[in-house]
Structure formats: structure tokens, C-alpha cells
Amino acid sequence: MPISRRAVTIKDVAATAGVGVATVSRVLSGTGSVSAATRDRVLATARELDYRPSALGRSLKLQRTGSIGLLIPDITDPFCAELTAGVLDCARTLGEYVIIDAAHDDPVREAEIIDRFVEQRVDGIIAIPGSGDIATWEAVARIGVAAVFAGRTVEGLIGVPSVVADERAGVRSVVEYLVGLGHRRIGFLGGRLSVTTGRDREEAFRGTLTDLGVPVDEALIVRARPTADSAYAAAASLFQRRSDVTAVLAAGHLLGEAAVLAARELTLRVPADVSIAMVDDVPWAELCEPPLTVVARPARDLGYRAAELLLRDPARRERGRPVVLPTELVVRGSCGPPAGMPGSSARSSRTR
């Protein structure tokens, strides 16, 4: 019998094969007793009609949709892109598909995306949260939707597990490296303290200097909003106000890019006039002249482990404890001793 161009249903397969709907259901699900001849006829009919099982019907039966929501700040951000790739790698191996949306660190937009994920009955949510609306995430927990944070967390929220990088250890390693080279006037280009990673990095910077006996100069600590213009203004202002600064640590790749551009505009030589290091190893960091020293965070691993925690490890997820992955100090040519110190005139050929 001819079938119209509407979606083919299980009833269409049954009518064309000359069997009951229950028989088709048993054949397609692989359950129950059906003769070999009937099974072959039903399968051949399903192929002929290009029958596709209903995802909605399957989700109602299994009480899951086979999908997870991924909330990130910015799809074009290199760190977010790598983390997303890790989530997709894990989800693909487990037969899940991923719905991705970006909030651009807007709490209203973030809440709208979360509401949409919940409406779509996703099996769980992975998020790089923004500045954090605790009430939004508490509501997600109350309705029973599993959630895992990746890369950063929401301050004061208890019970949502996370997979994060050891931000403090990463910043400590690079500050110790700069102080070891002889730097004492180290500038810090930071982000918003309302974001946990921003606060952790600045606190680690201050704490490490104090532990090493280097006074914390508040005038050398500058914060910027997460935009290219704000980052550039902060970097240029630091270089222009404090000509005595000998090294700068940028607490993120946007800030690192701004530091490199501002130094170039002001004809500061790197590392002869100022050493520059940053958090996050992005592709352009190794292409700079000289290549940038960085604290590398394992973005892809963070995404993979977050998806694994969400989809495969409910017992560990319910404990709510963070999974902390190590960072790595990657020493390249953008850092050297301050001017006037032994070895400061020589360009280094440090590599990974």
C-alpha cells in the first residue's frame, strides 16, 4: 500500500508487512518470540519504508532522552571549544548527543538556557557557569536533573559536583618561576572576582608573593571585564602607569593577548623590557615572537571527565566532591631575568 511523505509509523510497517503492531514492536526491540520468516519480513518492510523509531516514544519508555545540555560562556573561546570537544568525545562513546548553548556570562541568559534544557528533558547538564545564580541551580537540583560544573564552580552552592583545574597551583608555579628569575615588580592582569576562577587566580598570586617574601603592590594589580577592549585598556594602563614593572602575569588568554598587543604598541621588548606569562595555552601562544610562557589547563580532559561523571558515575556525582586535574607550567621564550640582572640580555630558547 502506498505511504504518504509523512513520517512512517510502526502502524504503517505493521499494515504493509501484514502483521500486528505488537509483532513489529517485538521484532524491532528484539524481545519476545517471532518466527524467522516474520522477523525477516518485518525488517525488510521497515527498511523499504525507511522507518525511523520515534525518539519521543523511546524516551517515554526509557524515561530518558539520550541527550545532555552543555552550557558554555562563548562558543568561539579556545578554552570552551576544547572543553566542548572533550564532552562530545565522551558523549559519543556513550551514545548520547549534546545540545550546546552559550550564555556569554549573562545570568539572565544562563537561566533561560537552563530552563530550556529542563523543558527538553535532557538527561543532565554540564556547565561552565557564569558569575552564578545559586537559586537557578538549586531549582535544577530540586526537580531531579543531574548537573556537573566544568572548569569553574558557583560560590556557595553545595551539592553540585565539578571537574576543575588546579588553578591555584598553576598560578603559584608561574609566580615562583618569575620570582626565581629575579622579578619583584610583577603586574597582574586579572578578571572578575565574582567568578571563582578569577578569584582563585588573584588570591594565589597574592598568596604566593607573600609566601616568597615579595611585597604585594596593589598598584600592579589591575582587573578587566571579559572583553577585548577592557583587557587592552587594563594592560596599556598598567604599562603606562608603571614603567618599573618587569613582568606581567595575565590571568587568561584574552588578557594575555592584550598584554602582548599593548607591549608591542608601546615598543616594549619581550622579554628584554618586560616578561609576559599567562594562564591558558591557546594555539596562538606558541606562535608569538617570542612564544609565550603559559599555565596550561587540560580543557579537553575537563570536558571528557565532566561528561563521564555525569553519565557513568552517579555514585561519585552524588557525593558532590570536586575532581581536580593538574595544570602544567609550559616555559617558553617570553620570560627572562629583569634588565640589569645577569643573563637578562640573552634571549632564551626555552621550549615545552
Side-chain angles (χ1 to χ4, degrees):
M1 61 181 288
I3 303 298
S4 67
R5 294 185 64 84
R6 63 177 171 78
V8 176
T9 69
I10 193 171
K11 290 182 179 179
D12 296 324
V13 176
T16 304
V19 298
V21 170
T23 300
V24 175
S25 178
R26 287 197 299 272
V27 171
L28 297 178
S29 64
T31 60
S33 176
V34 180
S35 70
T38 300
R39 178 178 294 105
D40 291 344
R41 185 164 74 253
V42 168
L43 292 175
T45 302
R47 286 193 298 271
E48 179 185 339
L49 298 180
D50 195 23
Y51 169 71
R52 307 292 177 89
S54 166
L56 176 60
R58 185 168 58 248
S59 67
L60 290 172
K61 181 178 180 180
L62 300 176
Q63 293 298 298
R64 58 191 305 276
T65 61
S67 65
I68 60 175
L70 174 59
L71 171 64
I72 58 177
D74 183 355
I75 194 68
T76 65
D77 179 272
F79 176 81
C80 293
E82 275 294 293
L83 188 144
T84 297
V87 172
L88 292 172
D89 284 347
C90 183
R92 190 176 298 113
T93 64
L94 298 176
E96 296 269 334
Y97 68 92
V98 182
I99 305 170
I100 305 170
D101 210 335
H104 299 283
D105 284 329
D106 178 347
V108 174
R109 173 70 174 155
E110 183 172 295
E112 290 173 349
I113 293 170
I114 294 167
D115 285 345
R116 190 177 308 117
F117 284 162
V118 172
E119 289 171 359
Q120 292 174 321
R121 300 294 192 269
V122 295
D123 296 331
I125 298 172
I126 296 171
I128 305 176
S131 52
D133 183 349
I134 293 179
T136 298
W137 290 105
E138 287 178 336
V140 170
R142 280 197 301 272
I143 62 178
V145 177
V148 172
F149 292 146
R152 61 194 188 198
T153 61
V154 173
E155 182 69 17
L157 184 64
I158 299 173
V160 177
S162 59
V163 181
V164 295
D166 195 340
E167 302 282 352
R168 292 176 181 268
V171 170
R172 172 172 286 274
S173 67
V174 71
V175 174
E176 289 176 341
Y177 172 65
L178 291 171
V179 172
L181 289 173
H183 294 282
R184 297 297 180 270
R185 294 182 299 279
I186 305 172
F188 182 79
L189 293 174
R192 296 165 300 161
L193 298 184
S194 59
V195 175
T196 54
T197 49
R199 185 172 59 257
D200 287 346
R201 292 169 191 172
E202 183 171 324
E203 288 178 356
F205 175 78
R206 292 173 178 274
T208 305
L209 288 179
T210 300
D211 292 344
L212 296 175
V214 179
V216 177
D217 187 339
E218 295 296 334
L220 292 179
I221 298 176
V222 182
R223 302 186 192 98
R225 298 185 304 278
T227 66
D229 288 345
S230 179
Y232 181 84
S237 173
L238 175 62
F239 287 140
Q240 290 171 328
R241 286 187 298 102
R242 294 295 299 266
S243 59
D244 61 333
V245 66
T246 63
V248 170
L249 171 58
H253 61 81
L254 192 65
L255 293 160
E257 181 179 2
V260 171
L261 292 174
R264 184 179 302 163
E265 289 289 326
L266 296 170
T267 65
L268 295 172
R269 297 168 299 163
V270 178
D273 297 324
V274 63
S275 292
I276 298 177
M278 74 175 182
V279 175
D280 275 344
D281 192 11
V282 293
W284 61 261
E286 203 165 9
L287 302 178
C288 283
E289 179 51 46
L292 250 60
T293 291
V294 299
V295 174
R297 295 190 294 162
R300 188 178 289 257
D301 286 347
L302 288 170
Y304 194 97
R305 293 286 294 276
E308 201 170 42
L309 184 60
L310 180 70
L311 298 171
R312 299 181 69 174
D313 202 350
R316 185 169 187 174
R317 188 177 69 238
E318 289 168 7
R319 290 196 293 271
R321 297 174 185 170
V323 176
V324 182
L325 303 184
T327 56
E328 178 189 4
L329 175 62
V330 182
V331 177
R332 299 189 179 119
S334 64
C335 297
M341 289 193 66
S344 61
S345 60
R347 281 289 181 94
S348 172
S349 60
R350 301 178 185 91
T351 57
R352 184 186 298 264

